[in-house]
Amino acid sequence: MPIFFTKKRLHLQSGAVASLRIRRPACLRVTTGRVWVTIEGGRTDYWLAAGQSLVLPGQGLVVVEAVKQASQVQLCQCGSRWQTRAALLLRRWSERWQQRRGRNKEGHRQTCR
């Protein structure tokens, strides 16, 4: 039976990198400093400063790097299911919107060949 965390704190020195294997949705909160976060299979990287948080979708690898200063992050369970789903839907919408920004003036998607 897998053991799931309830709260986990990471202290990262400037430039230090930590990788986490997530098995279910979780919330990543930055308590001090600034971090760069990337999620396995995601199309967007995230820059978070102290006081900001990010809902992690679950089941994947998450990489966190402290940027320019020592940082502290806290990983904990998400508040409720509807908050988790709303955050995931918002993230998907944001990724789609960013993809559409890549269209040319005529509204056609730019492709590389």
Side-chain angles (χ1 to χ4, degrees), residues 2-113:
I3 298 172
F4 297 108
F5 57 84
T6 54
K7 283 191 178 180
K8 183 176 185 176
R9 289 184 182 212
L10 298 172
H11 301 275
L12 301 170
Q13 296 299 319
S14 179
V17 177
S19 60
L20 309 163
R21 177 72 54 188
I22 304 298
R23 300 188 192 284
R24 65 179 184 182
C27 183
L28 180 74
R29 287 192 182 101
V30 180
T31 53
T32 60
R34 181 176 166 94
V35 298
W36 166 76
V37 181
T38 189
I39 302 169
E40 180 180 35
R43 297 180 183 179
T44 305
D45 292 347
Y46 303 92
W47 294 88
L48 304 174
Q52 293 182 315
S53 61
L54 175 67
V55 175
L56 304 173
Q59 302 220 345
L61 182 66
V62 177
V63 178
V64 181
E65 179 181 358
V67 179
K68 294 187 180 179
Q69 60 187 352
S71 301
Q72 183 177 349
V73 296
Q74 182 178 11
L75 195 62
C76 54
Q77 294 177 346
C78 294
S80 67
R81 284 188 175 190
W82 74 266
Q83 288 175 329
T84 303
R85 288 182 186 208
L88 292 175
L89 287 173
L90 183 61
R91 182 178 305 147
R92 287 182 189 145
W93 176 83
S94 174
E95 289 175 355
R96 288 180 186 161
W97 181 76
Q98 289 177 1
Q99 287 175 348
R100 290 182 183 180
R101 289 180 65 196
R103 294 180 183 218
N104 62 20
K105 291 180 182 178
E106 294 80 30
H108 301 291
R109 186 166 278 185
Q110 297 174 352
T111 58
C112 298
R113 292 182 187 202

